[in-house]
Amino acid sequence: QVQLVESGGGLVQAGGSLRLSCAASGRTFSSCIMGWFRQLPGKEREFVAGIKWRGGATNYADSVKGRFTISRDNTSNTVYLQMNSLKPDDTAVYYCAVRLLPSSDYDYWGQGTRVTVSS
């Protein structure tokens, strides 16, 4: 059974940085896409960044391009989201998810980690 455990959230001032981690277990992830999503207060969950496990191709939401970087560590099956130049608008609960190719949907989700950016 796939398990995703996020960590690294917290409180940070605007302009600061945080790195989120997602430890994945329960299967091999070579045929997967890992994603980070976030849910802002009162809004629907939205895509933030994704990475193809094999090859490392990445994509980002326009709102985070140039500020956030997604990466993965094959050895530890961990996916990271480095968040720089944080803004109060980035305040949200951040979720890690895995999409088992060729599925078009994300199949498994973590429990989320809260990020609060103060102005």
Side-chain angles (χ1 to χ4, degrees):
Q1 184 176 355
V2 174
Q3 284 193 314
L4 304 172
V5 180
E6 301 102 331
S7 61
L11 174 65
V12 64
Q13 288 189 332
S17 298
L18 280 176
R19 188 176 79 157
L20 306 184
S21 300
C22 173
S25 62
R27 60 164 288 142
T28 57
F29 294 94
S30 58
S31 299
C32 297
I33 293 176
M34 305 297 294
W36 284 99
F37 291 75
R38 66 186 183 186
Q39 188 161 19
L40 283 67
K43 297 192 176 180
E44 293 189 357
R45 189 151 40 186
E46 64 181 25
F47 173 79
V48 175
I51 185 166
K52 198 168 184 180
W53 199 273
R54 181 177 292 157
T58 60
N59 65 314
Y60 297 90
D62 287 343
S63 58
V64 306
K65 276 181 184 176
R67 300 189 297 124
F68 292 10
T69 302
I70 188 171
S71 61
R72 86 253 187 263
D73 183 327
N74 291 338
T75 302
S76 63
N77 278 355
T78 301
V79 179
Y80 301 98
L81 186 68
Q82 178 67 43
M83 306 186 295
N84 299 327
S85 302
L86 283 162
K87 306 174 182 178
D89 286 349
D90 295 317
T91 294
V93 178
Y94 284 73
Y95 297 90
C96 175
V98 60
R99 181 175 141 197
L100 307 178
L101 296 174
S103 170
S104 60
D105 296 321
Y106 281 82
D107 303 282
Y108 297 94
W109 295 82
Q111 82 288 351
T113 184
R114 185 174 299 274
V115 172
T116 303
V117 184
S118 64
S119 57

